[in-house]
């Protein structure tokens, strides 16, 4: 997903071209979906957030600055939508169905996005789920999307020192949980 490849399509999209929207969507959806899937559990929640992300892209495109990387801009939208979803879910959790929210989610059925799930191993997801959201998002942005710590700081709108601290803490927790997982399975550690 490179913004320069999409530049003419983004311009056409700004002019209201529906074909351009389809092209931009097709070129970015797998990358954005994987990001959301690493941050959120529950297939329906992921699908809802994906709809919100692309709706927000459509509405916000006039504000997009073509001098900045499209990839960063789109990931910023995705992160804000996940954070909004988390806030809404927390409110519902506190106000309404506390017991239902704590029930275990059913196994994800195979979908047209099976490629996404094949790429992300269950072990990795299990390790990531041990992390708090604040730590998990730093790991996803750093190692999945290969953002620098400075870029993560800008995307999350937090000081660079906070990002470095979260990054360090996340790696420490991942190491700890990988050792525990490895001992349960009786094998060698895979996070060193």
């Amino acid at each position: 997903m490179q913004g320069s490849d999409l530049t003419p399509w983004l311009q056409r999209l700004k002019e209201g071209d529906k074909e351009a929207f389809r092209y931009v969507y097709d070129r970015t959806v797998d990358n954005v979906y994987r990001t959301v899937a690493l941050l959120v559990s529950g297939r329906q929640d992921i699908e809802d957030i994906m709809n919100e992300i692309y709706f927000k892209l459509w509405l916000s495109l006039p504000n997009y600055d073509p001098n900045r990387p499209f990839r960063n801009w789109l990931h910023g939208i995705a992160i804000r939508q996940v954070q909004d979803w988390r806030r809404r879910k927390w409110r519902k959790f506190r106000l309404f169905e506390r017991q239902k929210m704590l029930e275990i989610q059913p196994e994800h059925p195979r979908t047209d996005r099976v490629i996404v799930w094949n790429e992300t191993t269950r072990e990795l997801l299990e390790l990531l789920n041990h992390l708090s959201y604040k730590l998990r998002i730093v790991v996803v942005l750093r190692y999945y999307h290969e953002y620098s710590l400075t870029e993560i700081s800008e995307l999350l709108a937090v000081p660079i020192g906070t990002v470095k601290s979260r990054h360090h803490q996340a790696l420490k927790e991942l190491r700890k949980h990988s050792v525990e997982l490895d001992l349960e399975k009786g094998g060698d550690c895979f996070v060193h």
Side-chain angles (χ1 to χ4, degrees):
M1 172 176 60
Q2 294 299 325
S4 58
D5 300 340
L6 298 174
T7 302
W9 293 95
L10 293 171
Q11 185 56 43
R12 287 177 56 186
L13 181 55
K14 280 184 179 182
E15 296 166 1
D17 185 341
K18 291 180 183 177
E19 180 183 331
F21 181 81
R22 172 56 59 192
Y23 183 85
V24 170
Y25 177 84
D26 289 343
R27 294 284 187 249
T28 60
V29 68
D30 289 338
N31 185 281
V32 173
Y33 188 90
R34 282 188 294 261
T35 300
V36 173
L38 289 168
L39 299 172
V40 175
S41 61
R43 188 174 136 248
Q44 185 59 49
D45 293 332
I46 294 169
E47 294 296 331
D48 291 346
I49 293 168
M50 289 295 294
N51 289 335
E52 291 175 17
I53 290 168
Y54 283 94
F55 181 68
K56 192 66 157 180
L57 178 142
W58 179 267
L59 293 177
S60 302
L61 195 60
N63 300 328
Y64 168 63
D65 178 3
N67 296 322
R68 299 192 66 206
F70 178 72
R71 173 181 181 255
N72 295 20
W73 183 75
L74 183 56
H75 282 141
I77 290 174
I79 290 166
R80 285 186 296 280
Q81 292 307 310
V82 168
Q83 290 169 336
D84 288 350
W85 171 83
R86 287 174 47 82
R87 273 191 295 277
R88 287 191 309 267
K89 187 168 182 168
W90 178 247
R91 285 185 197 122
K92 287 179 186 176
F93 177 77
R94 286 180 27 216
L95 296 174
F96 299 110
E97 302 173 18
R98 182 178 181 116
Q99 190 60 31
K100 288 182 182 179
M101 296 298 263
L102 294 174
E103 289 177 7
I104 296 173
Q105 296 287 333
E107 188 71 24
H108 295 291
R110 295 180 68 85
T111 67
D112 60 336
R113 305 218 197 274
V114 72
I115 295 168
V116 172
W117 294 109
N118 287 340
E119 289 180 15
T120 28
T121 64
R122 291 199 184 278
E123 290 86 5
L124 175 60
L125 289 174
E126 187 175 331
L127 285 173
L128 283 174
N129 286 332
H130 281 92
L131 298 177
S132 69
Y133 175 77
K134 289 180 178 184
L135 299 180
R136 189 178 336 149
I137 189 130
V138 170
V139 170
V140 169
L141 291 174
R142 178 74 177 118
Y143 297 104
Y144 182 75
H145 292 295
E146 299 178 354
Y147 281 108
S148 70
L149 295 177
T150 303
E151 290 172 321
I152 295 170
S153 171
E154 292 171 8
L155 273 171
L156 299 179
V158 296
I160 186 72
T162 301
V163 172
K164 288 179 180 179
S165 172
R166 290 177 185 176
H167 180 254
H168 175 76
Q169 185 63 34
L171 293 180
K172 183 177 171 182
E173 287 190 31
L174 285 173
R175 283 185 195 105
K176 180 182 99 175
H177 290 297
S178 70
V179 168
E180 291 170 3
L181 182 64
D182 185 55
L183 291 175
E184 288 175 13
K185 293 183 178 185
D188 295 327
C189 285
F190 55 91
V191 175
H192 301 283

